[in-house]
Every structure is written in C-alpha cells, then in structure tokens.
Amino acid sequence: MNKDQVKGKAKEIGGKIQQEAGELVGSSKQQAKGIKNQIEGKLQKGVGDAREAVDDAIDNAIDKGNRQ
C-alpha cells in the first residue's frame, strides 16, 4: 500500500463517521461534510491504486527484461 491508498481510506472512514455523527445530532451540514470527505477519500485511494498498478507494471517489465 502506498500513502495515497492509506490516507484516502482513512479520510473515507473519517467521513463516514462524520456523516453518521451528523445524522445522530440532526446536522445536515455535518452529514454533507462527511459525504464530501468520503468522496475525496475514495478518489485519493483510487489515485493510490492507479499509482500502485503502474509501479507493479514497471517492476514486472524490469524483471522480465532482466530475465532475457
């Protein structure tokens, strides 16, 4: 896992907690902020996933080149 994956997942979880806390206290503003943070977290995790896929592809290409 890279830092974008970790930070994104953490932000997503924090946003879910914030959304649910907003629901408990009846604050639509906190609910909206929580949903926004969840979306941002998912996007950041997606960037991390893409970065890791590229890194893996590069590593595989290098390994393949070293075997030839």
Side-chain angles (χ1 to χ4, degrees):
M1 281 193 121
N2 60 45
K3 68 180 182 176
D4 282 320
Q5 289 171 311
V6 173
K7 287 181 178 181
K9 189 64 177 174
K11 189 166 194 168
E12 185 180 346
I13 292 169
K16 183 67 176 169
I17 292 168
Q18 186 176 19
Q19 176 191 4
E20 291 181 8
E23 289 173 8
L24 286 173
V25 298
S27 172
S28 59
K29 185 175 181 178
Q30 287 303 316
Q31 289 175 353
K33 285 182 180 181
I35 291 169
K36 175 183 163 279
N37 285 335
Q38 287 177 67
I39 293 168
E40 288 175 356
K42 286 179 183 183
L43 289 172
Q44 186 172 10
K45 184 179 177 300
V47 168
D49 291 345
R51 179 174 289 148
E52 187 167 290
V54 169
D55 287 345
D56 288 346
I58 291 170
D59 289 344
N60 288 337
I62 290 170
D63 288 343
K64 187 177 181 181
N66 287 336
R67 284 186 256 151
Q68 292 181 353

